[in-house]
Every structure is written in C-alpha cells, then in structure tokens.
Amino acid sequence: MGKIIKISGPLIVADGMRDVKMYDVVKVSDLGLIGEVIELRGDKASIQVYEETSMLGTGEPVVSTEQPLSVELGPGLIGGIYDGIQRPLESLKALSGDRIDRGVSATALDHDKKWEFTPVLKKGDEVTTGDCLGTVQENEVITHRVMVPYGVKGKIEKISTGKFTIDQTVAVITDGKNKHNVCMLQRWPVRRGRPYAEKLPPVEPLITGQRVVDTLFPIARGGVAGPFGSGKTVLQHALAKWSDADIIVYVGCGERGNEMTDVLNEFPELIDPKTGQPLMKRTVLIANTSDMPVAAREASIYTGITIAEYYRDMGYSVAIMADSTSRWAEALREMSGRLQEMPGEEGYPAYLSSRLAEFYERAGSVRLLGSKNLVGSVTAIGAVSPPGGDMSEPVSQATLRIVKVYWGLSSALAYKRHFPAIDWLVSYSLYSDRLAEWFSRNVDGQFNAYRMEISKLLQEEARLDEIVRLVGMDALSPRDKLTMEAAKSVREDYLHQNSFHEVDTYTSLDKQFKMLKLIVDFYNQANRALDRGVDVDGILAVPCREQIGRAKYVKEENIAELDKLHDEMIRQLAEIKKGDE
C-alpha cells in the first residue's frame, strides 16, 4: 500500500510503491478508482487513472492488485458493449444510471449464467496449448471454442458435458506432475500479444462489398489499412457492416458519442448478408468516447486487439476497427506531458511510432498453436484524423510507414456526396499484386486487366481535366471526349455507392466484375466505332448507356441481367452508323 503525494489530472504519483511492477493495476483512494502503473522511480510510482480524479487529495491510499491490466475472455463477449477497460456499460448503467459513478465496477462477463458445453475430445486424449476441448453456442451465428489455455498440455483426465458457468471446471488435464483445472474463462494481459505458431503471408482479400475498396485498393485478410481524413468513420461503419470477417471488434476511441450511438442503433437492425442474422450477433463494441477519461482511451485499443486475438485463436477471421488512432495518440501525448517526458515532434512522445507499430503488428494471418494447424486472422483498420487535413503531421506519417493500404479520403468528394470519398488519385494498396492471383482464380481471369483499365481511365481523366478547365470541353478530340465520358461513368456508375440504398450498399465480387466489364467493354467498343468513323455524339447517345448507369441497382439474384445488357450493348455499338450513312 502506498499514498498519494501528487495529483495532475488523470496522473497520480504515489510513494511507498517499491514492490509494484510496471503496468500493475492499482486501486486509488477509498473509492477504489482503477489505475495502472506507467512509471517507476525508486519507491514512487506514476499511475494513470481510468476514472475522474476530482476531489481526490494527497495522503489517500493506493493499493496494488499485483496483476497487469487484463481482460476476461469467454462465452458472452459477442454482442457486448464495454468501455476502454472492459467494464460492461449496460451493467454500469443499471448500477449508476446514465452517468458512470466513480469506483463503480462490474465483471465483464456474466459469471452466473450457465452455458451448454459440448466436448469434442474425450478422456485420455493428448492435448496441447490451443487445442479445442469443446464448444459453446454463443448465439445463432458464433460457435465459441473453449481452448486449452496457454502453457497447459498433457492428457485429459476428465472432461464434462452439460451446463456450466464460466468459472466451473469443464476439464482436468494432467501432465504427469500437475493437474490443471480448465474452465471456460481465460484472462489475458492486454499489452501482451497472444502467441501463435507462425505468421503467414497475406494471400486472400477481405471482401468488403465496397467497390472502390475491393476493386482498386483491396485489403488482405490479416492485413493493415488506414482511412485518412474526411468521412473515415462512415467508411469504417460500412466496412464493419459488410466485410466478410467472421467477427467485428469496433473500438470507438475518443470519437463523438453520437457516432457510437449510430452503431448501437443500426447494428441490431441491420441483417448480415452472410448469416441472415442481426450484425450485432458477430460484433463486440468498445466505447471510449471523447467525454470519457482520457487515460482509458489509451487502454481501449489494447483491449480491442486482445479480444480480436482471442477469437482469432479459435480459427476465426476477425476485423478490428479502431476509430481513431489519432485520438489515441492524443491521449499518449497528454499522459507523456504530465510525466514530463522529453517531447518529440508536435509534442507527441518520442515512442509514438513504436507504439503504433506494436498495435498494427498484432494483426496478421497466423497458423495457430495446437495440433490441428488451424489458421486465423486479425485485420486491423485504424482511422487517422489529420488536423486540418495536414498529412505531414506525426500520427499520419508514422501510420503511413506501417500500413499497407492507404485510403486517402477527400473532403471535396465528401462535400459532393460521393461515398466512399476515397480519392483514387492518391490512395494505394500494396496488397494488389499479391492478391491478383486470388482474384483471377476466384472471380475471373480478366478481373485484374479490367481493374488496370479503369485506373488508367481515371488517371487520363485527371490529365485531360486540366485542359478542359483551361480551354473547355469543345477543344478535346472525339477520342478524348469519349475518355472523359468513360471516366465519368467509372466515377458515378461504379465507384460511387449509396450506403442508404438496400441494393447498392453492398456489391458482391461477381457483380463488381460484371459492372466493370460493362463499362470497360463499352469504352473499348466505342473506340472501335470511332475508328469506323462514327460520330462521338452518336456513340454517347446509344440507349444502353442509361442502363449501364442503373446496373448498380440490379439485385444480386438478378445479376444475370447484366450479361444480357452486355450483349445488347455490343449489338447497339456494332449497328450504329456513321453520320453520313
């Protein structure tokens, strides 16, 4: 036990703490406020407190729990809504109302609820860390796999079936010397990555249903990406709703409360296209909004990635949305300043880059521990909010050195109501070449060629746009006019999506390819018509153009109609006559 000798906002200094360790959790004052040791100097400990510190005074007690900040992992996580240190917000509301009282605590998981445990192994089987002992049906969508905890291996001496709480023993494993009682509950320190056997190269995309992402700037399953700038939260909401990850962990880190409210209101109502069930049944929410204690903001990212790794270890594909890492970095800067550390660029701590790298490096597609050689993945998508759109600021630059996909969001596109507002001229994906083989094998052999074709069209449009602004469209040649019209079709008919339209909000890869084929083949056939001497205005007036623009609203079950439209387009362009005929 120590005593408070200094209070500086969320930072408290206590003496008499010689026996504590870095990152130990402590209870501050008689209120029992939760804190974490972040610096040790002799017998003095600097503690970041995850709750409001007003009305505290010097001399009040500080007691160490002798445990690092950890999360509870087990059945019941899915559909949960937690704060940055995994306190269940619904339970806290029942205890203290709409405003969380200081010192209020509740267990993250329900320790009284009984779950139906079904063993998949039997007595006498040899097991090792990571092996699945049995399953619990967490809901209609997610089967929770109860695994052998880290550091445990041996022979199953006893395994039970039936209903148990998460604290009750479901299996006994002996290694000849010791017996290990295994229950459904695990605890894991949030700042330590969960172990795995091998990290694998990314070879498969995370399908998002957003055409500009899947076609032009894909992210690999187990990869890392970052939307930067205006509209990042809306894009992350869309990715959380429609990506084909098995589990979504959404971390609202220092963002507006109304944005988290949108998620809470929408997800139970939205139906997952994969399962037909509400999206909330495969989602975990971590809410640490801008009005919550700044210190807990720093912990929320680690809480989220640890939960993501836990489901990864079951063999699931998990996507974690961190919104935003800029607010997380601001929390680092505030705590660093209160510790009187030497500031780096723009006041951020010198270790900003390494902390960001630690977070993103916990993503990846990995071969798991255990005898089955299963594969699981964590895909990390961290939003960045450059102040005033300044991409040279430290958080943006440090993130760009780490992430492999840069979605540069344009405020000009956002003001035009172009969603997703991803600027195709500045964004990039370093996974495109690696994923090309997968798209050729699983979508169509021509998919990558068409993708390159529309990229060239958009680049050519940017070049011609400079001329148009100087001398007008009439100065362009017929072929350049056709290029401008084709690029406009790419932008408005393909890249633009209406997230509020029940059909256009999500597009499968098959439909994406058929839409691409319509636009690119129209452009190629139109160029051939120009070669025959056909007037460009006659080409642009063919009836099929309007139907190509409406192709995005064709339902998934009716996408065969796009093949018929393609044949009709070829016929119309082939039959068009020269102006003097």
Side-chain angles (χ1 to χ4, degrees):
M1 181 183 290
K3 289 185 178 180
I4 298 173
I5 59 172
K6 177 185 175 183
I7 302 171
S8 175
L11 181 75
I12 279 176
V13 179
D15 64 4
M17 307 290 289
R18 185 175 296 275
D19 293 332
V20 303
K21 300 180 179 65
M22 277 290 286
Y23 300 123
D24 273 1
V25 172
V26 297
K27 295 293 182 72
V28 177
S29 86
D30 294 329
L31 293 171
L33 307 185
I34 300 171
E36 184 183 24
V37 176
I38 56 173
E39 184 184 60
L40 289 169
R41 293 187 183 183
D43 69 341
K44 292 183 175 63
S46 298
I47 298 157
Q48 62 177 355
V49 182
Y50 295 130
E51 300 180 68
E52 177 59 51
T53 58
S54 60
M55 303 303 292
L56 291 187
T58 56
E60 296 194 46
V62 177
V63 181
S64 173
T65 64
E66 301 182 2
Q67 296 291 329
L69 184 64
S70 302
V71 289
E72 290 188 343
L73 305 170
L77 276 172
I78 296 294
I81 307 163
Y82 303 99
D83 72 354
I85 51 175
Q86 212 203 9
R87 294 185 300 176
L89 293 180
E90 289 185 356
S91 298
L92 297 187
K93 181 181 178 181
L95 291 171
S96 63
D98 290 338
R99 307 298 297 182
I100 302 172
D101 290 337
R102 294 190 298 169
V104 173
S105 63
T107 57
L109 301 177
D110 189 340
H111 288 242
D112 298 322
K113 182 176 179 178
K114 292 195 172 184
W115 299 88
E116 185 72 40
F117 176 77
T118 305
V120 297
L121 298 176
K122 61 184 185 301
K123 180 180 178 180
D125 286 346
E126 290 283 344
V127 293
T128 187
T129 297
D131 282 342
C132 179
L133 292 169
T135 61
V136 170
Q137 199 62 40
E138 197 158 351
N139 57 39
E140 297 91 329
V141 178
I142 300 300
T143 300
H144 196 106
R145 294 158 193 159
V146 178
M147 301 165 293
V148 177
Y150 182 63
V152 176
K153 63 179 180 179
K155 184 180 290 187
I156 297 177
E157 186 175 284
K158 177 186 176 184
I159 190 164
S160 306
T161 185
K163 290 192 173 183
F164 302 91
T165 65
I166 58 175
D167 296 308
Q168 290 178 312
T169 299
V170 295
V172 178
I173 299 171
T174 179
D175 58 8
K177 297 180 182 178
N178 302 303
K179 288 185 178 180
H180 303 276
N181 295 324
V182 178
C183 62
M184 290 185 270
L185 173 67
Q186 293 188 22
R187 288 185 174 85
W188 192 265
V190 298
R191 298 183 188 277
R192 193 170 91 227
R194 289 176 64 88
Y196 52 82
E198 177 189 5
K199 185 167 267 193
L200 304 172
V203 293
E204 182 180 348
L206 182 76
I207 308 303
T208 67
Q210 309 304 301
R211 294 187 290 268
V212 65
V213 172
D214 292 341
T215 303
L216 292 180
F217 312 112
I219 178 174
R221 198 180 289 272
V224 292
F228 290 66
S230 180
K232 66 195 179 328
T233 300
V234 181
L235 176 60
Q236 280 199 314
H237 285 193
L239 298 180
K241 291 172 191 173
W242 307 123
S243 68
D244 67 344
D246 301 314
I247 309 283
I248 299 293
V249 180
Y250 193 97
V251 183
C253 177
E255 289 298 301
R256 304 175 190 89
N258 64 314
E259 292 174 352
M260 289 304 299
T261 303
D262 288 343
V263 176
L264 296 176
N265 289 337
E266 286 181 21
F267 275 38
E269 297 176 4
L270 289 168
I271 301 301
D272 187 346
K274 281 175 44 175
T275 64
Q277 296 288 332
L279 280 167
M280 202 64 194
K281 292 193 174 179
R282 63 180 180 98
T283 304
V284 181
L285 294 177
I286 312 291
N288 189 262
T289 52
S290 52
D291 65 333
M292 287 176 148
V294 68
R297 189 184 303 175
E298 196 260 347
S300 61
I301 293 283
Y302 297 108
T303 299
I305 195 78
T306 304
I307 292 172
E309 287 176 332
Y310 176 64
Y311 282 101
R312 173 206 72 187
D313 290 349
M314 298 181 195
Y316 285 119
S317 166
V318 187
I320 177 170
M321 312 287 169
D323 185 17
S324 76
T325 54
S326 292
R327 307 285 179 261
W328 174 70
E330 287 171 6
L332 279 181
R333 178 167 62 182
E334 180 172 333
M335 297 309 300
S336 175
R338 292 184 187 279
L339 286 169
Q340 300 178 10
E341 294 173 333
M342 182 69 72
E345 190 178 355
E346 293 190 20
Y348 287 101
Y351 47 78
L352 171 66
S353 295
S354 61
R355 288 287 179 87
L356 279 166
E358 281 175 17
F359 167 68
Y360 284 112
E361 279 301 315
R362 289 174 70 170
S365 180
V366 301
R367 194 174 307 284
L368 304 172
L369 298 174
S371 55
K372 300 292 185 183
N373 288 321
L374 297 175
V375 172
S377 66
V378 172
T379 306
I381 301 172
V384 182
S385 314
D390 178 16
M391 291 297 298
S392 66
E393 59 92 31
V395 180
S396 298
Q397 288 300 307
T399 306
L400 283 171
R401 287 194 289 269
I402 300 164
V403 300
K404 301 292 181 64
V405 180
Y406 167 55
W407 295 318
L409 295 161
S410 164
S411 57
L413 287 174
Y415 292 144
K416 292 176 184 176
R417 298 294 188 267
H418 181 106
F419 175 82
I422 294 175
D423 189 338
W424 46 84
L425 298 176
V426 301
S427 303
Y428 62 81
S429 170
L430 301 182
Y431 296 119
S432 294
D433 292 341
R434 188 183 287 273
L435 298 175
E437 183 182 345
W438 188 96
F439 282 108
S440 295
R441 190 172 62 250
N442 292 278
V443 184
D444 192 276
Q446 291 293 103
F447 186 88
N448 296 297
Y450 283 132
R451 177 170 62 190
M452 293 297 294
E453 192 73 28
I454 66 167
S455 294
K456 289 177 185 175
L457 271 173
L458 293 169
Q459 294 285 346
E460 186 66 13
E461 181 197 35
R463 184 185 70 83
L464 293 172
D465 197 46
E466 297 291 331
I467 300 172
V468 171
R469 275 188 274 183
L470 285 173
V471 294
M473 183 72 86
D474 293 338
L476 296 180
S477 67
R479 204 170 296 277
D480 285 343
K481 285 183 181 178
L482 183 61
T483 298
M484 292 293 283
E485 287 295 326
K488 180 182 177 183
S489 181
V490 171
R491 288 189 285 105
E492 297 182 0
D493 303 335
Y494 189 77
L495 298 183
H496 178 272
Q497 275 182 263
N498 185 347
S499 60
F500 296 105
H501 193 280
E502 61 178 359
V503 175
D504 196 33
T505 187
Y506 174 87
T507 308
S508 68
L509 287 181
D510 286 340
K511 183 178 173 183
Q512 288 184 41
F513 173 70
K514 291 180 187 296
M515 291 174 65
L516 271 181
K517 189 176 181 181
L518 278 171
I519 294 170
V520 175
D521 285 359
F522 176 88
Y523 176 64
N524 292 333
Q525 292 296 322
N527 270 304
R528 293 190 181 98
L530 280 179
D531 293 338
R532 298 199 312 268
V534 177
D535 182 67
V536 67
D537 292 328
I539 293 172
L540 297 177
V542 294
C544 65
R545 280 202 72 210
E546 185 179 346
Q547 293 173 285
I548 291 173
R550 294 201 303 265
K552 61 169 77 174
Y553 302 119
V554 174
K555 293 183 178 179
E556 292 288 340
E557 58 266 28
N558 299 328
I559 60 173
E561 294 177 8
L562 300 185
D563 294 325
K564 296 177 183 177
L565 176 58
H566 184 271
D567 295 339
E568 177 64 16
M569 175 199 72
I570 299 294
R571 186 189 65 77
Q572 289 181 18
L573 288 173
E575 292 179 354
I576 195 169
K577 305 294 185 182
K578 289 191 291 186
D580 56 350
E581 294 183 8

